[in-house]
Amino acid sequence: MDIAADEISLFLDLDGTLIDIAPRPDAVHVPDDLVTLLGRLQQRLGGAVAVISGRPLTDLSRLLPRCPVPLVAEHGAIFKLPPGYQFKLGARYCVPEAMAAFVRGALGALDGVIIEEKQSCLTVHFRLAPEQKPVVKAALERAIDRWPTFRISEAKMALELRPRGLDKGTAVRRLMRFSPFQGRKPIFIGDDVTDEDGIRACLLLGGRGMRVPQDFGGGPSSVREWLWRIASQSAPQTAQCPP
């Protein structure tokens, strides 16, 4: 499948897609040229590029400083739009403090378990202690019994409490309503279960989903290499999509 830069919108996950996953969320390494790559893509695609992540906006702003493309945080709860994007999309979700306190009380003392509190979601990482997953899941199930407007979402070595109706597919559909995304074929690139909603949204909108393990066997470095080829296209050339 050939990809023409003038015809697509790109929606990119961050961890596991653009950068390698680390044992702790705060230990990731961002390649020096990643923001430059996003800027080149922004220019070549006429602005139709966005990073959609489960991370909080403070993380995205720190990891991708002066990013020239929209940053979508917490699976679509928060949008940060750089100059040149004329529409406005505000936050609509919030974690109840009582729920956060309940999870901290149930899991905060477990060795190797990291509780990541965000504005709209609450993520519990157990990559450093995978044997704790049953304990984490049981505690989160007790939480949603008390706060049924939330659901448990699985991720790589993590479980997350997330408001029902909040996912990366919702973020894609919201962005696709506006220029410069509107009227293009959307492509979502991701590596995790949480990216499947974004992939499904793109498929339903006539686009495509690409999964890092299957479509980019080399991981994030292969994704970035392919994106550089897209960014370097001279109109109206096409780039060959990974098989």
Side-chain angles (χ1 to χ4, degrees):
M1 175 182 176
D2 290 332
I3 300 270
D6 297 311
E7 300 174 358
I8 63 171
S9 294
L10 277 177
F11 302 100
L12 308 170
D13 172 50
L14 182 62
D15 292 87
T17 298
L18 293 177
I19 63 175
D20 289 304
I21 293 174
R24 297 175 57 96
D26 58 357
V28 295
H29 169 72
V30 179
D32 293 338
D33 62 350
L34 181 55
V35 172
T36 300
L37 169 59
L38 292 171
R40 292 283 295 275
L41 286 168
Q42 193 265 356
Q43 293 173 3
R44 186 62 193 87
L45 274 67
V49 186
V51 175
I52 303 181
S53 172
R55 282 183 178 264
L57 184 58
T58 52
D59 277 11
L60 295 184
S61 298
R62 174 177 57 84
L63 295 172
L64 301 172
R66 298 176 298 281
C67 185
V69 307
L71 298 177
V72 185
E74 301 186 23
H75 308 285
I78 304 170
F79 293 76
K80 180 180 180 181
L81 304 177
Y85 293 84
Q86 302 302 320
F87 52 93
K88 293 183 181 295
L89 294 168
R92 301 186 298 174
Y93 305 93
C94 188
V95 170
E97 171 54 31
M99 188 177 77
F102 175 86
V103 174
R104 287 195 299 266
L107 301 174
L110 291 181
D111 290 338
V113 171
I114 301 169
I115 301 174
E116 184 182 14
E117 296 187 37
K118 312 173 190 178
Q119 176 178 301
S120 64
C121 313
L122 196 155
T123 308
V124 183
H125 300 269
F126 46 84
R127 184 177 300 276
L128 299 175
E131 71 280 1
Q132 299 285 15
K133 179 178 180 179
V135 179
V136 171
K137 186 173 183 181
L140 298 190
E141 286 173 344
R142 294 197 302 274
I144 61 172
D145 285 341
R146 298 177 60 177
W147 290 275
T149 58
F150 282 72
R151 65 184 177 94
I152 298 174
S153 175
E154 295 236 10
K156 286 183 178 177
M157 305 304 290
L159 291 172
E160 183 170 67
L161 290 175
R162 193 191 312 170
R164 297 185 185 276
L166 174 62
D167 59 54
K168 294 184 179 182
T170 303
V172 167
R173 289 188 291 272
R174 294 183 75 189
L175 288 173
M176 286 295 292
R177 292 167 48 203
F178 301 99
S179 176
F181 301 92
Q182 191 176 46
R184 290 169 170 255
K185 292 183 179 180
I187 296 177
F188 195 104
I189 305 178
D191 73 301
D192 202 350
V193 176
T194 57
D195 299 312
E196 291 299 321
D197 296 302
I199 288 173
R200 280 190 290 270
C202 288
L203 292 173
L204 289 172
L205 290 168
R208 179 172 181 178
M210 300 171 71
R211 298 171 177 88
V212 176
Q214 292 91 336
D215 296 308
F216 301 93
S221 62
S222 295
V223 176
R224 295 193 302 271
E225 180 181 346
W226 184 76
L227 291 173
W228 273 113
R229 293 202 297 270
I230 293 287
S232 302
Q233 281 185 19
S234 300
Q237 293 180 355
T238 61
Q240 184 67 36
C241 187

